[in-house]
């Protein structure tokens, strides 16, 4: 499948055959480990840059992007969803993942056209409430139906100038825009260790994937409710929980030298302002375990600590 391979840029294009023949063919439980393996092998054997991995999908593939990207955003530098349906997925985990949405103006089956615009509005709201993040853009291709959206055309395409106005039944007008999915995503590079994480634990990959981690956090597979807003500050050697609605369970914070200074004590700040200060030291076993989990050198950590999601009590 060379649908998106005509950018003229050196890249490795992979169009995986779904491992199931069901409506959720791209997001069945075993699929997520499959995607991990593709990425790991491309990096190991073909020299792919793990910080420049992108995901794009059209129609059922768009459904897949909607389901995959929020569940494992730490694998990708950007995502493009074309002509798909979100099927109720929550977008909180896309804080660091640029997300492009494309659909034809006349693609009305399952309300794909309208729901694409509404998804953009949801990302608008998340961006506003978070005070940033959630880079995104919505392209409604003027006069196009389901099978002819120009998300793989390098010439600029006619899109609606104001999709929200169109959604409300008002005149939108048109504009020319670059809509080639790969061209849109390529400028973005993944930051594997962002200083702030917003994690909705209700949107996780299935246990079959074998990965409990999310960027520099992890939690047991059994923890599947609640959201967490957490930051680290290397200059202050602190990890701070700003908000946490996770009712129970242990959250593990993974640390490396890019995040903290191991020669100094680390201070953990709970959401009520209480503080716990302690020393951490590099541990070879932690490095081995984290290297094996995702096969990504950017996610190799040297130390960790955990805290109780309900009380903030620290354990090491």
């Amino acid at each position: 499948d060379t649908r998106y391979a005509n950018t003229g840029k050196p890249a490795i294009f992979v169009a995986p055959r779904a491992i199931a023949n069901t409506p959720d063919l791209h997001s069945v439980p075993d699929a997520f480990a499959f995607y991990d393996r593709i990425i790991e092998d491309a990096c190991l054997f073909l020299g792919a840059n793990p910080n420049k991995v992108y995901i794009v999908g059209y129609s059922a593939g768009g459904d897949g992007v909607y389901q995959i990207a929020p569940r494992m955003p730490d694998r990708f530098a950007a995502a493009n969803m074309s002509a798909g349906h979100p099927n109720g997925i929550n977008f909180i985990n896309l804080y660091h993942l640029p997300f492009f949405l494309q659909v034809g103006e006349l693609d009305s089956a399952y309300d794909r056209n309208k729901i694409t615009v509404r998804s953009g509005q949801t990302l608008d709201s998340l961006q506003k409430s978070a005070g940033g993040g959630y880079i995104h853009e919505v392209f409604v291709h003027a006069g196009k139906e389901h099978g002819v959206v120009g998300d793989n055309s390098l010439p600029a395409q006619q899109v609606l100038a104001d999709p929200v106005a169109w959604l409300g039944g008002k005149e939108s007008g048109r504009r020319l825009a670059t809509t080639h999915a790969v061209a849109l995503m390529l400028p973005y590079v993944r930051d594997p260790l962002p200083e702030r994480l917003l994690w909705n634990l209700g949107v996780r990959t299935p246990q079959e994937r074998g990965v409990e981690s999310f960027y520099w956090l992890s939690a047991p597979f059994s923890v599947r409710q609640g959201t967490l807003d957490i930051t680290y500050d290397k200059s202050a050697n602190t990890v701070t929980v700003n908000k946490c609605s996770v009712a129970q369970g242990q959250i593990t914070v993974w640390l490396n030298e890019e995040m903290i200074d191991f020669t100094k004590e680390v201070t953990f700040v709970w959401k009520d302002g209480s503080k716990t200060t302690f020393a951490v030291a590099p541990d070879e076993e932690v490095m081995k375990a984290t290297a094996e989990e995702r096969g990504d050198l950017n996610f190799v950590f040297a130390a960790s600590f955990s805290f109780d999601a309900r009380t903030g009590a620290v354990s090491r």
Side-chain angles (χ1 to χ4, degrees):
D1 186 346
T2 58
R3 178 182 178 88
Y4 300 103
N6 61 340
T7 62
K9 303 288 186 180
I12 301 163
F13 292 89
V14 180
R17 193 326 188 161
I19 64 174
N21 293 318
T22 55
D24 59 346
L25 70 172
H26 295 296
S27 57
V28 293
D30 289 331
F32 295 93
F34 179 46
Y35 305 138
D36 279 329
R37 184 60 181 267
I38 292 172
I39 295 168
E40 290 170 25
D41 284 358
C43 294
L44 181 60
F45 298 111
L46 301 177
N49 182 346
N51 292 326
K52 299 200 74 176
V53 177
Y54 308 92
I55 183 170
V56 57
Y58 192 101
S59 191
D63 295 358
V65 171
Y66 268 131
Q67 297 301 315
I68 297 164
R71 288 184 165 88
M72 45 191 295
D74 51 0
R75 275 298 197 185
F76 306 110
N80 183 99
M81 188 296 306
S82 294
H85 194 289
N87 294 300
I89 193 71
N90 187 288
F91 295 148
I92 288 177
N93 295 344
L94 297 178
Y95 180 65
H96 291 290
L97 185 67
F99 199 81
F100 298 97
L101 303 104
Q102 307 204 43
V103 73
E105 179 185 9
L106 306 180
D107 189 358
S108 58
Y110 308 103
D111 281 338
R112 278 186 293 249
N113 48 5
K114 295 178 181 179
I115 287 175
T116 299
V117 179
R118 291 181 187 133
S119 294
Q121 290 179 298
T122 298
L123 289 165
D124 289 341
S125 297
L126 287 169
Q127 186 179 61
K128 183 177 180 180
S129 64
Y134 298 105
I135 295 171
H136 65 283
E137 192 164 1
V138 176
F139 300 103
V140 179
H141 291 256
K144 297 293 181 68
E145 298 178 357
H146 181 63
V148 290
V149 174
D151 65 338
N152 64 333
S153 299
L154 287 172
Q157 300 292 298
Q158 288 274 354
V159 300
L160 300 187
D162 189 343
V164 175
W166 167 84
L167 183 65
K170 300 178 181 178
E171 177 59 36
S172 163
R174 300 185 178 189
R175 66 182 178 94
L176 284 173
T178 297
T179 60
H180 191 291
V182 178
L184 290 169
M185 295 187 294
L186 278 180
Y188 295 96
V189 179
R190 178 190 69 167
D191 178 4
L193 303 174
E195 293 181 352
R196 182 187 183 189
L197 292 181
L198 298 178
W199 189 13
N200 178 349
L201 285 92
V203 181
R204 304 185 66 179
T205 52
Q207 187 168 347
E208 286 84 347
R209 182 189 177 201
V211 176
E212 293 183 329
S213 296
F214 178 84
Y215 293 95
W216 42 269
L217 295 174
S218 69
F221 288 116
S222 58
V223 182
R224 291 188 172 271
Q225 289 184 344
T227 59
L228 179 64
D229 180 346
I230 185 170
T231 57
Y232 74 84
D233 183 343
K234 184 174 182 179
S235 63
N237 241 36
T238 58
V239 175
T240 302
V241 173
N242 304 298
K243 298 178 182 178
C244 182
S245 64
V246 182
Q248 60 182 359
Q250 291 285 311
I251 307 294
T252 297
V253 179
W254 301 103
L255 302 169
N256 64 23
E257 291 181 342
E258 294 185 45
M259 300 169 65
I260 65 151
D261 183 348
F262 284 115
T263 68
K264 300 176 182 178
E265 291 188 321
V266 173
T267 298
F268 174 71
V269 185
W270 184 234
K271 61 183 180 180
D272 62 4
S274 59
K275 299 179 180 181
T276 307
T277 300
F278 49 91
V280 293
D283 185 328
E284 185 175 345
E285 292 304 313
V286 171
M287 296 178 69
K288 289 180 180 179
T290 54
E292 290 175 359
E293 186 188 37
R294 283 178 281 186
D296 187 330
L297 290 176
N298 296 275
F299 293 134
V300 175
F301 299 96
S304 69
F305 70 91
S306 298
F307 64 90
D308 186 288
R310 184 175 61 84
T311 66
V314 172
S315 59
R316 300 193 302 281

